[in-house]
PDB file of all heavy atoms in Angstrom:
ATOM      1  N   ARG A 148      54.405 159.970 254.438  1.00 83.00           N
ATOM      2  CA  ARG A 148      52.965 160.113 254.671  1.00 83.00           C
ATOM      3  C   ARG A 148      52.121 159.268 253.736  1.00 83.00           C
ATOM      4  O   ARG A 148      50.920 159.156 253.912  1.00 83.00           O
ATOM      5  CB  ARG A 148      52.565 161.580 254.510  1.00 83.00           C
ATOM      6  CG  ARG A 148      53.281 162.497 255.467  1.00 83.00           C
ATOM      7  CD  ARG A 148      53.004 163.960 255.163  1.00 83.00           C
ATOM      8  NE  ARG A 148      53.547 164.284 253.849  1.00 83.00           N
ATOM      9  CZ  ARG A 148      52.965 165.103 252.984  1.00 83.00           C
ATOM     10  NH1 ARG A 148      51.852 165.707 253.280  1.00 83.00           N
ATOM     11  NH2 ARG A 148      53.508 165.345 251.816  1.00 83.00           N
ATOM     12  N   GLN A 149      52.713 158.642 252.732  1.00 89.00           N
ATOM     13  CA  GLN A 149      51.942 157.952 251.700  1.00 89.00           C
ATOM     14  C   GLN A 149      51.002 156.886 252.253  1.00 89.00           C
ATOM     15  O   GLN A 149      49.835 156.826 251.875  1.00 89.00           O
ATOM     16  CB  GLN A 149      52.873 157.339 250.655  1.00 89.00           C
ATOM     17  CG  GLN A 149      53.558 158.392 249.819  1.00 89.00           C
ATOM     18  CD  GLN A 149      54.585 157.822 248.865  1.00 89.00           C
ATOM     19  OE1 GLN A 149      55.053 156.700 249.028  1.00 89.00           O
ATOM     20  NE2 GLN A 149      54.936 158.608 247.864  1.00 89.00           N
ATOM     21  N   MET A 150      51.467 156.024 253.098  1.00 82.00           N
ATOM     22  CA  MET A 150      50.622 154.943 253.610  1.00 82.00           C
ATOM     23  C   MET A 150      49.534 155.459 254.541  1.00 82.00           C
ATOM     24  O   MET A 150      48.437 154.903 254.582  1.00 82.00           O
ATOM     25  CB  MET A 150      51.465 153.871 254.306  1.00 82.00           C
ATOM     26  CG  MET A 150      52.395 153.123 253.353  1.00 82.00           C
ATOM     27  SD  MET A 150      51.503 152.295 252.018  1.00 82.00           S
ATOM     28  CE  MET A 150      52.132 153.161 250.596  1.00 82.00           C
ATOM     29  N   VAL A 151      49.821 156.545 255.260  1.00 83.00           N
ATOM     30  CA  VAL A 151      48.799 157.157 256.112  1.00 83.00           C
ATOM     31  C   VAL A 151      47.686 157.713 255.237  1.00 83.00           C
ATOM     32  O   VAL A 151      46.503 157.526 255.525  1.00 83.00           O
ATOM     33  CB  VAL A 151      49.405 158.256 257.009  1.00 83.00           C
ATOM     34  CG1 VAL A 151      48.329 159.011 257.752  1.00 83.00           C
ATOM     35  CG2 VAL A 151      50.418 157.666 257.963  1.00 83.00           C
ATOM     36  N   VAL A 152      48.053 158.384 254.161  1.00 86.00           N
ATOM     37  CA  VAL A 152      47.063 158.945 253.245  1.00 86.00           C
ATOM     38  C   VAL A 152      46.231 157.814 252.638  1.00 86.00           C
ATOM     39  O   VAL A 152      45.000 157.890 252.590  1.00 86.00           O
ATOM     40  CB  VAL A 152      47.743 159.793 252.148  1.00 86.00           C
ATOM     41  CG1 VAL A 152      46.763 160.180 251.060  1.00 86.00           C
ATOM     42  CG2 VAL A 152      48.366 161.036 252.772  1.00 86.00           C
ATOM     43  N   LEU A 153      46.877 156.760 252.199  1.00 85.00           N
ATOM     44  CA  LEU A 153      46.162 155.632 251.614  1.00 85.00           C
ATOM     45  C   LEU A 153      45.214 154.997 252.627  1.00 85.00           C
ATOM     46  O   LEU A 153      44.087 154.628 252.295  1.00 85.00           O
ATOM     47  CB  LEU A 153      47.158 154.598 251.090  1.00 85.00           C
ATOM     48  CG  LEU A 153      46.585 153.432 250.316  1.00 85.00           C
ATOM     49  CD1 LEU A 153      45.773 153.910 249.122  1.00 85.00           C
ATOM     50  CD2 LEU A 153      47.710 152.527 249.852  1.00 85.00           C
ATOM     51  N   ALA A 154      45.632 154.896 253.872  1.00 86.00           N
ATOM     52  CA  ALA A 154      44.791 154.306 254.917  1.00 86.00           C
ATOM     53  C   ALA A 154      43.515 155.106 255.155  1.00 86.00           C
ATOM     54  O   ALA A 154      42.509 154.549 255.596  1.00 86.00           O
ATOM     55  CB  ALA A 154      45.581 154.164 256.215  1.00 86.00           C
ATOM     56  N   LEU A 155      43.524 156.389 254.844  1.00 82.00           N
ATOM     57  CA  LEU A 155      42.309 157.191 255.003  1.00 82.00           C
ATOM     58  C   LEU A 155      41.171 156.652 254.135  1.00 82.00           C
ATOM     59  O   LEU A 155      40.006 156.884 254.425  1.00 82.00           O
ATOM     60  CB  LEU A 155      42.582 158.666 254.681  1.00 82.00           C
ATOM     61  CG  LEU A 155      43.415 159.418 255.707  1.00 82.00           C
ATOM     62  CD1 LEU A 155      43.752 160.809 255.199  1.00 82.00           C
ATOM     63  CD2 LEU A 155      42.694 159.488 257.036  1.00 82.00           C
ATOM     64  N   GLY A 156      41.512 155.917 253.085  1.00 83.00           N
ATOM     65  CA  GLY A 156      40.487 155.314 252.238  1.00 83.00           C
ATOM     66  C   GLY A 156      39.733 154.199 252.938  1.00 83.00           C
ATOM     67  O   GLY A 156      38.699 153.752 252.446  1.00 83.00           O
ATOM     68  N   ASN A 157      40.211 153.754 254.082  1.00 81.00           N
ATOM     69  CA  ASN A 157      39.542 152.696 254.843  1.00 81.00           C
ATOM     70  C   ASN A 157      38.647 153.233 255.951  1.00 81.00           C
ATOM     71  O   ASN A 157      37.991 152.456 256.638  1.00 81.00           O
ATOM     72  CB  ASN A 157      40.589 151.760 255.461  1.00 81.00           C
ATOM     73  CG  ASN A 157      41.385 151.045 254.401  1.00 81.00           C
ATOM     74  OD1 ASN A 157      40.865 150.684 253.360  1.00 81.00           O
ATOM     75  ND2 ASN A 157      42.662 150.846 254.655  1.00 81.00           N
ATOM     76  N   VAL A 158      38.630 154.546 256.134  1.00 78.00           N
ATOM     77  CA  VAL A 158      37.830 155.152 257.198  1.00 78.00           C
ATOM     78  C   VAL A 158      36.352 155.008 256.858  1.00 78.00           C
ATOM     79  O   VAL A 158      35.923 155.345 255.759  1.00 78.00           O
ATOM     80  CB  VAL A 158      38.203 156.643 257.383  1.00 78.00           C
ATOM     81  CG1 VAL A 158      37.267 157.324 258.352  1.00 78.00           C
ATOM     82  CG2 VAL A 158      39.634 156.771 257.836  1.00 78.00           C
ATOM     83  N   LYS A 159      35.588 154.493 257.805  1.00 72.00           N
ATOM     84  CA  LYS A 159      34.161 154.264 257.561  1.00 72.00           C
ATOM     85  C   LYS A 159      33.263 155.242 258.318  1.00 72.00           C
ATOM     86  O   LYS A 159      32.183 155.557 257.865  1.00 72.00           O
ATOM     87  CB  LYS A 159      33.773 152.831 257.959  1.00 72.00           C
ATOM     88  CG  LYS A 159      34.558 151.767 257.230  1.00 72.00           C
ATOM     89  CD  LYS A 159      34.246 151.778 255.759  1.00 72.00           C
ATOM     90  CE  LYS A 159      34.997 150.634 255.085  1.00 72.00           C
ATOM     91  NZ  LYS A 159      35.301 150.878 253.721  1.00 72.00           N
ATOM     92  N   HIS A 160      33.684 155.709 259.474  1.00 72.00           N
ATOM     93  CA  HIS A 160      32.798 156.489 260.329  1.00 72.00           C
ATOM     94  C   HIS A 160      32.904 158.001 260.133  1.00 72.00           C
ATOM     95  O   HIS A 160      31.925 158.699 260.303  1.00 72.00           O
ATOM     96  CB  HIS A 160      33.022 156.124 261.792  1.00 72.00           C
ATOM     97  CG  HIS A 160      32.762 154.686 262.061  1.00 72.00           C
ATOM     98  ND1 HIS A 160      31.505 154.136 262.012  1.00 72.00           N
ATOM     99  CD2 HIS A 160      33.590 153.661 262.333  1.00 72.00           C
ATOM    100  CE1 HIS A 160      31.574 152.848 262.259  1.00 72.00           C
ATOM    101  NE2 HIS A 160      32.835 152.532 262.457  1.00 72.00           N
ATOM    102  N   ASN A 161      34.041 158.483 259.798  1.00 83.00           N
ATOM    103  CA  ASN A 161      34.238 159.917 259.536  1.00 83.00           C
ATOM    104  C   ASN A 161      34.728 160.054 258.107  1.00 83.00           C
ATOM    105  O   ASN A 161      35.705 159.430 257.726  1.00 83.00           O
ATOM    106  CB  ASN A 161      35.270 160.512 260.491  1.00 83.00           C
ATOM    107  CG  ASN A 161      34.792 160.495 261.924  1.00 83.00           C
ATOM    108  OD1 ASN A 161      33.637 160.780 262.184  1.00 83.00           O
ATOM    109  ND2 ASN A 161      35.666 160.161 262.846  1.00 83.00           N
ATOM    110  N   ASP A 162      34.070 160.870 257.346  1.00 87.00           N
ATOM    111  CA  ASP A 162      34.414 161.025 255.934  1.00 87.00           C
ATOM    112  C   ASP A 162      35.684 161.865 255.779  1.00 87.00           C
ATOM    113  O   ASP A 162      35.678 163.056 256.082  1.00 87.00           O
ATOM    114  CB  ASP A 162      33.249 161.681 255.204  1.00 87.00           C
ATOM    115  CG  ASP A 162      33.485 161.820 253.717  1.00 87.00           C
ATOM    116  OD1 ASP A 162      34.509 161.331 253.209  1.00 87.00           O
ATOM    117  OD2 ASP A 162      32.625 162.421 253.051  1.00 87.00           O
ATOM    118  N   PRO A 163      36.780 161.270 255.308  1.00 91.00           N
ATOM    119  CA  PRO A 163      38.038 162.001 255.158  1.00 91.00           C
ATOM    120  C   PRO A 163      38.177 162.717 253.805  1.00 91.00           C
ATOM    121  O   PRO A 163      39.252 163.204 253.480  1.00 91.00           O
ATOM    122  CB  PRO A 163      39.089 160.898 255.296  1.00 91.00           C
ATOM    123  CG  PRO A 163      38.416 159.707 254.710  1.00 91.00           C
ATOM    124  CD  PRO A 163      36.964 159.833 255.095  1.00 91.00           C
ATOM    125  N   THR A 164      37.103 162.794 253.038  1.00 94.00           N
ATOM    126  CA  THR A 164      37.176 163.396 251.699  1.00 94.00           C
ATOM    127  C   THR A 164      37.757 164.807 251.747  1.00 94.00           C
ATOM    128  O   THR A 164      38.604 165.153 250.925  1.00 94.00           O
ATOM    129  CB  THR A 164      35.790 163.398 251.032  1.00 94.00           C
ATOM    130  OG1 THR A 164      35.331 162.047 250.939  1.00 94.00           O
ATOM    131  CG2 THR A 164      35.840 164.004 249.646  1.00 94.00           C
ATOM    132  N   ASP A 165      37.318 165.618 252.700  1.00 92.00           N
ATOM    133  CA  ASP A 165      37.802 167.001 252.779  1.00 92.00           C
ATOM    134  C   ASP A 165      39.275 167.087 253.144  1.00 92.00           C
ATOM    135  O   ASP A 165      39.920 168.096 252.870  1.00 92.00           O
ATOM    136  CB  ASP A 165      36.962 167.811 253.775  1.00 92.00           C
ATOM    137  CG  ASP A 165      35.534 168.018 253.276  1.00 92.00           C
ATOM    138  OD1 ASP A 165      35.324 168.044 252.050  1.00 92.00           O
ATOM    139  OD2 ASP A 165      34.631 168.137 254.123  1.00 92.00           O
ATOM    140  N   VAL A 166      39.805 166.055 253.756  1.00 92.00           N
ATOM    141  CA  VAL A 166      41.240 166.002 254.064  1.00 92.00           C
ATOM    142  C   VAL A 166      42.013 165.555 252.824  1.00 92.00           C
ATOM    143  O   VAL A 166      43.097 166.062 252.535  1.00 92.00           O
ATOM    144  CB  VAL A 166      41.509 165.037 255.248  1.00 92.00           C
ATOM    145  CG1 VAL A 166      42.995 164.825 255.451  1.00 92.00           C
ATOM    146  CG2 VAL A 166      40.850 165.547 256.510  1.00 92.00           C
ATOM    147  N   LEU A 167      41.437 164.622 252.073  1.00 94.00           N
ATOM    148  CA  LEU A 167      42.137 164.041 250.928  1.00 94.00           C
ATOM    149  C   LEU A 167      42.178 164.955 249.705  1.00 94.00           C
ATOM    150  O   LEU A 167      43.185 164.969 248.986  1.00 94.00           O
ATOM    151  CB  LEU A 167      41.481 162.707 250.550  1.00 94.00           C
ATOM    152  CG  LEU A 167      41.708 161.579 251.547  1.00 94.00           C
ATOM    153  CD1 LEU A 167      40.753 160.434 251.290  1.00 94.00           C
ATOM    154  CD2 LEU A 167      43.151 161.107 251.469  1.00 94.00           C
ATOM    155  N   ILE A 168      41.129 165.700 249.447  1.00 97.00           N
ATOM    156  CA  ILE A 168      41.089 166.530 248.235  1.00 97.00           C
ATOM    157  C   ILE A 168      42.285 167.488 248.145  1.00 97.00           C
ATOM    158  O   ILE A 168      42.935 167.553 247.098  1.00 97.00           O
ATOM    159  CB  ILE A 168      39.732 167.253 248.094  1.00 97.00           C
ATOM    160  CG1 ILE A 168      38.652 166.227 247.731  1.00 97.00           C
ATOM    161  CG2 ILE A 168      39.803 168.366 247.046  1.00 97.00           C
ATOM    162  CD1 ILE A 168      37.235 166.776 247.705  1.00 97.00           C
ATOM    163  N   PRO A 169      42.628 168.232 249.188  1.00 95.00           N
ATOM    164  CA  PRO A 169      43.808 169.114 249.073  1.00 95.00           C
ATOM    165  C   PRO A 169      45.116 168.352 248.836  1.00 95.00           C
ATOM    166  O   PRO A 169      46.052 168.884 248.244  1.00 95.00           O
ATOM    167  CB  PRO A 169      43.842 169.849 250.416  1.00 95.00           C
ATOM    168  CG  PRO A 169      42.480 169.733 250.973  1.00 95.00           C
ATOM    169  CD  PRO A 169      41.931 168.442 250.464  1.00 95.00           C
ATOM    170  N   LEU A 170      45.166 167.100 249.257  1.00 95.00           N
ATOM    171  CA  LEU A 170      46.378 166.307 249.065  1.00 95.00           C
ATOM    172  C   LEU A 170      46.579 165.904 247.603  1.00 95.00           C
ATOM    173  O   LEU A 170      47.670 165.451 247.230  1.00 95.00           O
ATOM    174  CB  LEU A 170      46.343 165.065 249.954  1.00 95.00           C
ATOM    175  CG  LEU A 170      46.377 165.353 251.457  1.00 95.00           C
ATOM    176  CD1 LEU A 170      46.273 164.055 252.245  1.00 95.00           C
ATOM    177  CD2 LEU A 170      47.633 166.118 251.830  1.00 95.00           C
ATOM    178  N   LEU A 171      45.575 166.111 246.766  1.00 97.00           N
ATOM    179  CA  LEU A 171      45.732 165.841 245.334  1.00 97.00           C
ATOM    180  C   LEU A 171      46.738 166.791 244.692  1.00 97.00           C
ATOM    181  O   LEU A 171      47.217 166.531 243.585  1.00 97.00           O
ATOM    182  CB  LEU A 171      44.377 165.945 244.620  1.00 97.00           C
ATOM    183  CG  LEU A 171      43.350 164.882 245.012  1.00 97.00           C
ATOM    184  CD1 LEU A 171      41.997 165.209 244.391  1.00 97.00           C
ATOM    185  CD2 LEU A 171      43.805 163.494 244.584  1.00 97.00           C
ATOM    186  N   ASP A 172      47.056 167.875 245.366  1.00 95.00           N
ATOM    187  CA  ASP A 172      48.042 168.839 244.864  1.00 95.00           C
ATOM    188  C   ASP A 172      49.410 168.671 245.519  1.00 95.00           C
ATOM    189  O   ASP A 172      50.318 169.456 245.264  1.00 95.00           O
ATOM    190  CB  ASP A 172      47.538 170.271 245.092  1.00 95.00           C
ATOM    191  CG  ASP A 172      46.300 170.568 244.274  1.00 95.00           C
ATOM    192  OD1 ASP A 172      46.213 170.090 243.125  1.00 95.00           O
ATOM    193  OD2 ASP A 172      45.409 171.264 244.787  1.00 95.00           O
TER     194      ASP A 172
END
C-alpha cells in the first residue's frame, strides 16, 4: 500500500488528509 498512500499526496480536488492521518499509526 505504500505507493498508493504516497500518491494521495498528489490529490488536488478531494482532500485526503482525513484518510492519511490514521495511517500515521
Side-chain angles (χ1 to χ4, degrees):
R148 300 172 296 143
Q149 291 175 341
M150 294 301 116
V151 173
V152 170
L153 186 57
L155 288 173
N157 296 324
V158 173
K159 302 294 183 208
H160 300 291
N161 294 319
D162 183 5
T164 301
D165 292 332
V166 172
L167 290 165
I168 289 174
L170 295 177
L171 294 172
D172 295 323

